[in-house]
Amino acid sequence: MADSAQAQKLVYLVTGGCGFLGEHVVRMLLQREPRLGELRVFDRHLGPWLEELKTGPVRVTAIQGDVTEAHEVAAAVAGAHVVIHTAGLVDVFGRASPETIHEVNVQGTRNVIEACVQTGTQFLVYTSSMEVVGPNTKGHPFYRGNEDTLYEAVHRHPYPCSKALAERLVLEANGREVHGGLPLVTCALRPTGIYGEGHQIMRDFYRQGLRLGGWLFRAIPASVEHGRVYVGNVAWMHVLAARELERRAALMGGQVYFCYDGSPYKSYEDFNMEFLGPCGLQLVGARPLLPYWVLVFLAALNALLQWLLRPLVLYVPLLNPYTLAVASTTFTVSTDKAQRHFGYEPLFSWEDSRTRTILWVQAAGSSAQ
Ligand SMILES: NC(=O)c1ccc[n+]([C@@H]2O[C@H](COP(=O)([O-])OP(=O)(O)OC[C@H]3O[C@@H](n4cnc5c(N)ncnc54)[C@H](O)[C@@H]3O)[C@@H](O)[C@H]2O)c1
Ligand SMILES: C[C@@H](CO)CCC[C@@H](C)[C@H]1CC[C@H]2[C@@H]3[C@H](O)C=C4C[C@@H](O)CC[C@]4(C)[C@H]3CC[C@]12C
């Protein structure tokens, strides 16, 4: 990526490139990265939609692989200029064991870093999460905070623990010498709750509302702010960060950035209604219909049932003590660090993000995808 080789075409690798966020990153790179020569899409499960991308001017290489297998990762990374590591096991519902979550999110990330070092890949962007910071186990609010806001980040749940460890590995790897003698340059992006086309929980809420005759019932007070960011803007931020890492290595290397855009500050349920409302659903109640202690009880009961039933069947309700804590603790960001460091501006306005999401919910809710 030297200046003398302006016309050089670059090889990008996106791990987890077939996931919700990964697919948007892949499509965004193809649309918005003029220096892209080859795009490698690495995922445990490859999506059929990749086929249509193979007919375009950029070489798209689909690689079925597992980030926990160091040799598979090394083979995929070899010869890449930039890695966007977005693969991860996103599980706050108790589907996977804590060991599996750790293996994929922490060991997988270690494998990606080591592959960069061994093969001489110099630029690594990691998809971290707001949950590296909070909400913490004490339920402290994080109200429109930024990357420098002091907050007691204490976790017990395997998912935030794994994301925090993985993020630390990525940041500590900044400056390590890669094969060929150049320094590794890394940064981590921390999305809040991502929404947009492909957001399965949103689709599930829509279907649930339809089953209940068009009604959803408020469980969380409207005053609890939950940070949300549009998937297209998160993808754009990844593309821009990856592009600028070389030019601004000294400034960006080893840094973290919250992902943000113009999405309004609202409670989790009120925010979802921005999309589900125009799709015909109504949220019942200006206040939660059940007292908070009842939700706490139900969440604990769900956790107990999950544990008791585990030998027989996997019981994975939406509500558990952890998801209740995340949904009912204020956590929102207000920052311009990405703008200051690498010129990020959201590509999609709130109106665009909203319209695109509504159209997707309508289509996804009525089809069997
Ligand atoms: N969804 C959110 O609200 C959110 C918010 C903050 C951060 N994140 C982070 O963004 C990233 C992407 O999340 P997402 O919501 O798109 O999840 P997702 O589950 O839709 O995508 C993850 C992708 O990683 C792949 N993957 C999982 N294990 C793998 C393995 N062992 N080897 C190779 N590929 C593997 C999956 O097949 C999937 O395609 C994750 O790292 C997640 O922690 C997500
Ligand atoms: C109490 C219920 C009444 O309607 C609502 C429960 C909603 C929860 C299932 C979700 C509330 C907040 C979500 C999380 C948040 O948006 C951020 C996340 C970070 C990311 O790294 C992974 C996904 C998630 C943990 C996301 C998961 C679902 C919620 C807990």
Side-chain angles (χ1 to χ4, degrees), residues 16 18-22 42-45 65-68 86-90 104 127-130 159 163 191-194:
C18 293
F20 165 42
L21 172 61
F42 181 97
D43 204 298
R44 215 149 74 98
H45 305 287
D66 190 328
V67 287
T68 66
T86 194
L89 193 46
V90 185
V104 174
T127 313
S128 183
S129 169
M130 71 179 229
Y159 175 74
K163 294 300 285 186
T192 52
I194 307 173

Short mmCIF file of all heavy atoms in Angstrom, two decimals, residues 16 18-22 42-45 65-68 86-90 104 127-130 159 163 191-194, ligand 1:
data_model
loop_
_atom_site.label_atom_id
_atom_site.label_comp_id
_atom_site.label_asym_id
_atom_site.label_seq_id
_atom_site.Cartn_x
_atom_site.Cartn_y
_atom_site.Cartn_z
N GLY A 16 -16.28 -13.73 8.79
CA GLY A 16 -17.69 -13.59 9.16
C GLY A 16 -18.45 -12.82 8.09
O GLY A 16 -19.48 -12.20 8.38
N CYS A 18 -20.42 -13.54 5.86
CA CYS A 18 -21.79 -13.93 5.49
C CYS A 18 -22.78 -13.68 6.61
O CYS A 18 -23.93 -14.11 6.54
CB CYS A 18 -21.81 -15.40 5.06
SG CYS A 18 -20.91 -15.65 3.53
N GLY A 19 -22.33 -13.01 7.67
CA GLY A 19 -23.25 -12.69 8.78
C GLY A 19 -24.03 -11.44 8.48
O GLY A 19 -23.90 -10.83 7.40
N PHE A 20 -24.84 -11.03 9.44
CA PHE A 20 -25.68 -9.83 9.33
C PHE A 20 -24.81 -8.62 8.98
O PHE A 20 -24.97 -7.98 7.92
CB PHE A 20 -26.42 -9.67 10.66
CG PHE A 20 -27.07 -8.34 10.90
CD1 PHE A 20 -27.77 -7.66 9.90
CD2 PHE A 20 -27.03 -7.77 12.18
CE1 PHE A 20 -28.38 -6.44 10.16
CE2 PHE A 20 -27.66 -6.57 12.45
CZ PHE A 20 -28.32 -5.88 11.44
N LEU A 21 -23.85 -8.31 9.81
CA LEU A 21 -22.96 -7.17 9.53
C LEU A 21 -22.01 -7.50 8.39
O LEU A 21 -21.77 -6.66 7.50
CB LEU A 21 -22.17 -6.79 10.79
CG LEU A 21 -21.07 -5.75 10.59
CD1 LEU A 21 -21.63 -4.42 10.09
CD2 LEU A 21 -20.31 -5.51 11.90
N GLY A 22 -21.46 -8.72 8.40
CA GLY A 22 -20.44 -9.10 7.41
C GLY A 22 -20.92 -8.90 5.98
O GLY A 22 -20.17 -8.40 5.13
N PHE A 42 -14.62 -15.01 4.20
CA PHE A 42 -14.34 -16.20 5.00
C PHE A 42 -15.47 -16.38 6.00
O PHE A 42 -15.78 -15.46 6.76
CB PHE A 42 -13.00 -15.96 5.72
CG PHE A 42 -12.52 -17.09 6.59
CD1 PHE A 42 -11.59 -18.01 6.11
CD2 PHE A 42 -12.98 -17.23 7.89
CE1 PHE A 42 -11.11 -19.03 6.92
CE2 PHE A 42 -12.50 -18.25 8.70
CZ PHE A 42 -11.57 -19.16 8.22
N ASP A 43 -16.08 -17.54 6.01
CA ASP A 43 -17.16 -17.78 6.98
C ASP A 43 -17.35 -19.28 7.15
O ASP A 43 -17.03 -20.06 6.25
CB ASP A 43 -18.48 -17.13 6.49
CG ASP A 43 -19.42 -16.83 7.65
OD1 ASP A 43 -19.84 -17.78 8.34
OD2 ASP A 43 -19.72 -15.64 7.87
N ARG A 44 -17.88 -19.62 8.31
CA ARG A 44 -18.19 -21.04 8.56
C ARG A 44 -19.34 -21.49 7.67
O ARG A 44 -19.40 -22.62 7.23
CB ARG A 44 -18.56 -21.23 10.03
CG ARG A 44 -18.09 -22.54 10.61
CD ARG A 44 -17.79 -22.38 12.07
NE ARG A 44 -19.02 -22.26 12.84
CZ ARG A 44 -19.59 -23.28 13.49
NH1 ARG A 44 -19.04 -24.48 13.44
NH2 ARG A 44 -20.67 -23.10 14.19
N HIS A 45 -20.27 -20.57 7.44
CA HIS A 45 -21.42 -20.88 6.57
C HIS A 45 -21.48 -19.86 5.45
O HIS A 45 -21.73 -18.68 5.71
CB HIS A 45 -22.73 -20.84 7.37
CG HIS A 45 -22.71 -21.72 8.57
ND1 HIS A 45 -22.78 -23.09 8.47
CD2 HIS A 45 -22.61 -21.43 9.89
CE1 HIS A 45 -22.72 -23.61 9.69
NE2 HIS A 45 -22.61 -22.63 10.57
N GLY A 65 -14.55 -21.65 6.14
CA GLY A 65 -13.52 -21.97 7.13
C GLY A 65 -13.96 -21.55 8.51
O GLY A 65 -14.98 -20.90 8.69
N ASP A 66 -13.14 -21.97 9.47
CA ASP A 66 -13.48 -21.76 10.88
C ASP A 66 -12.35 -20.95 11.53
O ASP A 66 -11.18 -21.35 11.45
CB ASP A 66 -13.59 -23.15 11.54
CG ASP A 66 -14.16 -23.09 12.93
OD1 ASP A 66 -13.92 -22.08 13.63
OD2 ASP A 66 -14.86 -24.04 13.32
N VAL A 67 -12.70 -19.85 12.17
CA VAL A 67 -11.64 -19.01 12.76
C VAL A 67 -10.92 -19.72 13.91
O VAL A 67 -9.82 -19.31 14.29
CB VAL A 67 -12.16 -17.63 13.26
CG1 VAL A 67 -12.47 -16.70 12.11
CG2 VAL A 67 -13.32 -17.76 14.21
N THR A 68 -11.51 -20.77 14.44
CA THR A 68 -10.84 -21.48 15.53
C THR A 68 -9.75 -22.42 14.99
O THR A 68 -8.98 -22.97 15.76
CB THR A 68 -11.83 -22.28 16.40
OG1 THR A 68 -12.39 -23.33 15.62
CG2 THR A 68 -12.94 -21.39 16.95
N THR A 86 -14.76 -9.68 11.51
CA THR A 86 -16.09 -9.46 12.07
C THR A 86 -16.74 -10.76 12.53
O THR A 86 -17.78 -10.76 13.20
CB THR A 86 -16.95 -8.66 11.06
OG1 THR A 86 -18.11 -8.17 11.70
CG2 THR A 86 -17.34 -9.46 9.86
N ALA A 87 -16.10 -11.90 12.21
CA ALA A 87 -16.67 -13.20 12.63
C ALA A 87 -16.75 -13.25 14.15
O ALA A 87 -15.85 -12.80 14.84
CB ALA A 87 -15.80 -14.35 12.13
N GLY A 88 -17.83 -13.78 14.64
CA GLY A 88 -17.95 -13.91 16.08
C GLY A 88 -19.18 -14.73 16.41
O GLY A 88 -20.07 -14.91 15.57
N LEU A 89 -19.19 -15.25 17.61
CA LEU A 89 -20.37 -15.97 18.08
C LEU A 89 -21.16 -15.00 18.94
O LEU A 89 -20.75 -14.66 20.05
CB LEU A 89 -19.92 -17.21 18.86
CG LEU A 89 -20.98 -18.25 19.18
CD1 LEU A 89 -21.84 -18.57 17.97
CD2 LEU A 89 -20.30 -19.53 19.65
N VAL A 90 -22.27 -14.51 18.38
CA VAL A 90 -23.10 -13.52 19.09
C VAL A 90 -24.18 -14.30 19.83
O VAL A 90 -25.19 -14.68 19.25
CB VAL A 90 -23.73 -12.53 18.09
CG1 VAL A 90 -24.49 -11.44 18.85
CG2 VAL A 90 -22.68 -11.91 17.21
N VAL A 104 -14.43 -19.29 19.93
CA VAL A 104 -14.64 -18.57 18.66
C VAL A 104 -14.18 -17.11 18.78
O VAL A 104 -13.44 -16.61 17.94
CB VAL A 104 -16.14 -18.62 18.24
CG1 VAL A 104 -16.38 -17.76 17.00
CG2 VAL A 104 -16.57 -20.07 17.99
N THR A 127 -14.16 -5.98 14.68
CA THR A 127 -15.50 -5.59 15.13
C THR A 127 -15.65 -5.98 16.58
O THR A 127 -15.80 -7.16 16.93
CB THR A 127 -16.61 -6.31 14.32
OG1 THR A 127 -16.31 -6.23 12.94
CG2 THR A 127 -17.96 -5.68 14.61
N SER A 128 -15.58 -4.98 17.43
CA SER A 128 -15.75 -5.21 18.85
C SER A 128 -17.23 -5.02 19.19
O SER A 128 -18.10 -5.32 18.37
CB SER A 128 -14.85 -4.22 19.59
OG SER A 128 -14.91 -4.43 20.97
N SER A 129 -17.54 -4.50 20.36
CA SER A 129 -18.95 -4.28 20.72
C SER A 129 -19.02 -3.26 21.85
O SER A 129 -18.10 -3.15 22.67
CB SER A 129 -19.57 -5.59 21.19
OG SER A 129 -20.83 -5.35 21.78
N MET A 130 -20.15 -2.57 21.93
CA MET A 130 -20.40 -1.69 23.08
C MET A 130 -20.29 -2.47 24.38
O MET A 130 -19.96 -1.93 25.43
CB MET A 130 -21.81 -1.11 22.99
CG MET A 130 -22.92 -2.14 23.26
SD MET A 130 -24.58 -1.46 23.16
CE MET A 130 -25.31 -2.08 24.69
N TYR A 159 -20.39 -13.73 26.71
CA TYR A 159 -20.26 -12.95 25.46
C TYR A 159 -19.48 -11.65 25.67
O TYR A 159 -18.45 -11.44 25.01
CB TYR A 159 -21.65 -12.71 24.82
CG TYR A 159 -21.58 -11.81 23.62
CD1 TYR A 159 -21.06 -12.26 22.40
CD2 TYR A 159 -22.00 -10.48 23.70
CE1 TYR A 159 -20.98 -11.41 21.31
CE2 TYR A 159 -21.92 -9.63 22.60
CZ TYR A 159 -21.40 -10.10 21.41
OH TYR A 159 -21.30 -9.25 20.32
N LYS A 163 -15.73 -10.68 24.18
CA LYS A 163 -15.47 -9.53 23.31
C LYS A 163 -14.41 -8.62 23.94
O LYS A 163 -13.57 -8.05 23.24
CB LYS A 163 -16.76 -8.75 23.04
CG LYS A 163 -17.82 -9.48 22.24
CD LYS A 163 -17.38 -9.90 20.85
CE LYS A 163 -17.29 -8.79 19.84
NZ LYS A 163 -16.99 -9.33 18.47
N PRO A 191 -19.71 -1.26 17.80
CA PRO A 191 -21.11 -0.90 17.54
C PRO A 191 -21.95 -1.04 18.81
O PRO A 191 -21.66 -1.86 19.67
CB PRO A 191 -21.57 -1.95 16.51
CG PRO A 191 -20.34 -2.63 16.02
CD PRO A 191 -19.31 -2.50 17.11
N THR A 192 -22.99 -0.19 18.90
CA THR A 192 -24.05 -0.44 19.89
C THR A 192 -24.98 -1.46 19.22
O THR A 192 -24.55 -2.18 18.33
CB THR A 192 -24.76 0.88 20.24
OG1 THR A 192 -25.17 1.51 19.02
CG2 THR A 192 -23.86 1.82 21.01
N GLY A 193 -26.23 -1.53 19.61
CA GLY A 193 -27.13 -2.51 18.99
C GLY A 193 -27.35 -2.18 17.52
O GLY A 193 -27.87 -1.12 17.19
N ILE A 194 -26.95 -3.08 16.63
CA ILE A 194 -27.06 -2.82 15.19
C ILE A 194 -28.47 -3.18 14.72
O ILE A 194 -29.02 -4.20 15.14
CB ILE A 194 -26.02 -3.64 14.41
CG1 ILE A 194 -24.60 -3.41 14.97
CG2 ILE A 194 -26.06 -3.29 12.93
CD1 ILE A 194 -23.54 -4.31 14.34
N1 LIG B 1 -25.54 -7.53 16.06
C1 LIG B 1 -25.18 -6.56 16.89
O1 LIG B 1 -26.02 -5.79 17.38
C2 LIG B 1 -23.74 -6.35 17.22
C3 LIG B 1 -23.39 -5.26 18.02
C4 LIG B 1 -22.05 -5.06 18.35
C5 LIG B 1 -21.08 -5.89 17.85
N2 LIG B 1 -21.43 -6.95 17.08
C6 LIG B 1 -20.33 -7.80 16.56
O2 LIG B 1 -20.41 -7.78 15.15
C7 LIG B 1 -19.92 -9.01 14.62
C8 LIG B 1 -20.94 -9.56 13.65
O3 LIG B 1 -22.15 -9.77 14.35
P1 LIG B 1 -23.51 -10.10 13.61
O4 LIG B 1 -24.61 -9.49 14.38
O5 LIG B 1 -23.37 -9.83 12.17
O6 LIG B 1 -23.58 -11.67 13.87
P2 LIG B 1 -23.87 -12.86 12.87
O7 LIG B 1 -24.05 -14.08 13.69
O8 LIG B 1 -24.96 -12.50 11.92
O9 LIG B 1 -22.52 -12.93 12.05
C9 LIG B 1 -21.38 -13.58 12.51
C10 LIG B 1 -20.79 -14.38 11.39
O10 LIG B 1 -19.63 -15.04 11.90
C11 LIG B 1 -19.64 -16.36 11.42
N3 LIG B 1 -18.93 -17.23 12.33
C12 LIG B 1 -19.31 -17.59 13.58
N4 LIG B 1 -18.44 -18.45 14.10
C13 LIG B 1 -17.48 -18.63 13.17
C14 LIG B 1 -16.30 -19.40 13.12
N5 LIG B 1 -15.95 -20.20 14.13
N6 LIG B 1 -15.53 -19.33 12.02
C15 LIG B 1 -15.90 -18.55 10.96
N7 LIG B 1 -17.00 -17.82 10.95
C16 LIG B 1 -17.78 -17.85 12.04
C17 LIG B 1 -21.09 -16.75 11.33
O11 LIG B 1 -21.30 -17.85 10.45
C18 LIG B 1 -21.74 -15.47 10.87
O12 LIG B 1 -21.83 -15.43 9.46
C19 LIG B 1 -19.65 -9.90 15.82
O13 LIG B 1 -18.28 -9.92 16.07
C20 LIG B 1 -20.41 -9.24 16.96
O14 LIG B 1 -19.79 -9.50 18.19
C21 LIG B 1 -22.72 -7.19 16.73
#
